[in-house]
Amino acid sequence: MAKIAFTTLGCKLNYAETSTYERALLSAGHEAVAWNEAADVYLINTCAVTTHAEQKSRGFIRRAHKKAPGAAIVVTGCYAELKKEEILAIEGVSAVFGAKEKSLVVPEILRIISGKSDSDVPSSDAALDSEILPAYSSGERTRSFLKVQDGCDNFCAYCTVPFARGRSRNIPVCEAVKQAEAIAAQGIKEIVLTGVNTGDFGRSTGESFLSLLKALNDVEGIERYRISSIEPNLITEEIIDWIASLTKFQPHFHIPLQSGSDTILKKVGRRYDTALFSSRIDYIRQKMEMPGKAKVFFGIDVIVGLPGETEELFRETYSFLADRIKPSFIHIFPYSRRPGTRADKMADQVQDSIKTERVGILEGLCAKLHDDFVAANKGLPEKVLWESSEKDGMMSGYTGNYIRVEAPFDPSKVNTIEDIIL
């Protein structure tokens, strides 16, 4: 029996994949240990969305080698796809697996543990196809992240994701249902659908995102679903109408905007404008917000300091968020130049100090908008799924519209859904 330490950087997709590797290795009789413990194998699932993410990934690799110089270090994830040779040059690294080699991660770790030769596992060429690794997380009692889609075909000017995770592809609906049933068998009540471009589901199987939602809605034991992120041009009125028809899908939408300036959206190759974006928000609110009913939660992604973002264009974004959209939360990211992307070669880069200032301005707006959202829901009925963690005698959970609430800890309520008044 080997001791294996797992760590995950980056998105929920990585989290789902690491959890899937861990289940397979534990079922083979091995033991998971904490990251800060000495282990026989370290599995590091990396991120490359920013330069800082790459630096952080390298730091984890080096710390693992320092902690246990004789241990094997296996690296996968987006950084592994983009900079394989760079990672292999780091002392202590045993193997590196990119986007299309994820099915080899577990066999390679088992080979390392057993001491067998490289010829005893499939070659990397066997994994170089368009397949997607089915994955879901199982580290929480109440919620699981189910990976239904991977990759992206959009090639926005600032983004390395299509290079790091490959082209858009998905598991079949029947496989997603099978995975959801496995999650339900563990007693988990909520599933969050994850993907790089989740709404693009069906591109590789000829199915539709709506057919996926309908099939998952029928899985017994799962009481709530959330969609982790969906592009505004892919959330159609048909999808919204169906979600609003008393389904298990919650009034919670995570929609990337990136910029509230049409000039910037066009420049970086986004496939919508602010008119389309606002029309989607309006339609969701029209269909799902009724008198006496909880408000819809909108989490909006915004990238600050994209090339060409002047003060005037930044103010367009601020105004669009503050006066037009009024989301519940803003996920704010300073633009990070990525080699190999079109945006990296653009001349009108924004100074880091200006990016930092603009991030601070939007953080202030986010705090106000979230406070306004919570206040607007005060006194309205909702349902909370109580989580298992206890802190200072209190327990917490999230409502359907993603408001965090607290109550005195009661173990009998863990992983149950309770009607409350906000």
Side-chain angles (χ1 to χ4, degrees), residues 62-100:
R62 292 185 175 117
R63 285 198 295 277
H65 182 61
K66 185 176 181 180
K67 168 64 77 173
I73 299 175
V74 177
V75 183
T76 186
C78 291
Y79 180 42
E81 174 66 23
L82 294 176
K83 304 283 181 68
K84 185 171 186 176
E85 295 305 317
E86 181 178 293
I87 297 170
L88 283 169
I90 300 174
E91 188 176 0
V93 172
S94 304
V96 181
F97 296 103
K100 296 179 181 178

Side-chain angles (χ1 to χ4, degrees), residues 62-283:
R62 292 185 175 117
R63 285 198 295 277
H65 182 61
K66 185 176 181 180
K67 168 64 77 173
I73 299 175
V74 177
V75 183
T76 186
C78 291
Y79 180 42
E81 174 66 23
L82 294 176
K83 304 283 181 68
K84 185 171 186 176
E85 295 305 317
E86 181 178 293
I87 297 170
L88 283 169
I90 300 174
E91 188 176 0
V93 172
S94 304
V96 181
F97 296 103
K100 296 179 181 178
E101 302 168 318
K102 292 175 182 177
S103 61
L104 299 180
V105 170
V106 170
E108 173 63 13
I109 291 176
L110 293 175
R111 182 199 69 78
I112 289 170
I113 292 169
S114 67
K116 293 181 180 179
S117 68
D118 291 349
S119 62
D120 294 317
V121 296
S123 68
S124 295
D125 291 341
L128 293 178
D129 53 35
S130 61
E131 293 300 311
I132 176 174
L133 176 74
Y136 66 86
S137 67
S138 51
E140 299 179 50
R141 283 185 61 186
T142 55
R143 182 181 300 107
S144 177
F145 295 91
L146 171 59
K147 173 183 167 185
V148 297
Q149 185 274 342
D150 204 346
C152 186
D153 292 350
N154 288 352
F155 290 91
C156 297
Y158 54 83
C159 187
T160 61
V161 166
F163 309 106
R165 298 200 74 102
R167 303 302 290 266
S168 179
R169 58 204 187 278
N170 57 274
I171 61 176
V173 169
C174 60
E175 177 64 26
V177 169
K178 180 181 175 182
Q179 299 271 305
E181 289 172 343
I183 294 168
Q186 299 177 35
I188 295 170
K189 297 288 198 303
E190 180 175 298
I191 288 178
V192 183
L193 303 186
T194 64
V196 171
N197 190 358
T198 313
D200 202 39
F201 180 95
R203 183 171 291 273
S204 60
T205 59
E207 298 166 300
S208 72
F209 188 52
L210 183 56
S211 68
L212 169 71
L213 303 188
K214 289 181 176 179
L216 291 174
N217 198 64
D218 291 335
V219 173
E220 293 186 9
I222 302 300
E223 299 186 36
R224 308 206 304 192
Y225 289 96
R226 301 183 193 274
I227 302 169
S228 66
S229 180
I230 184 167
E231 297 280 311
N233 54 306
L234 296 177
I235 183 164
T236 64
E237 291 186 359
E238 183 182 17
I239 291 172
I240 296 165
D241 289 345
W242 181 80
I243 289 176
S245 66
L246 300 177
T247 68
K248 296 177 182 178
F249 284 81
Q250 300 302 296
H252 173 193
F253 293 88
H254 181 179
I255 309 176
L257 170 65
Q258 313 307 20
S259 175
S261 164
D262 286 331
T263 301
I264 296 295
L265 290 176
K266 184 177 181 179
K267 182 173 184 177
V268 298
R270 299 297 286 170
R271 300 189 176 192
Y272 54 86
D273 57 17
T274 54
L276 185 146
F277 193 97
S278 58
S279 71
R280 290 291 186 269
I281 300 293
D282 290 345
Y283 193 80

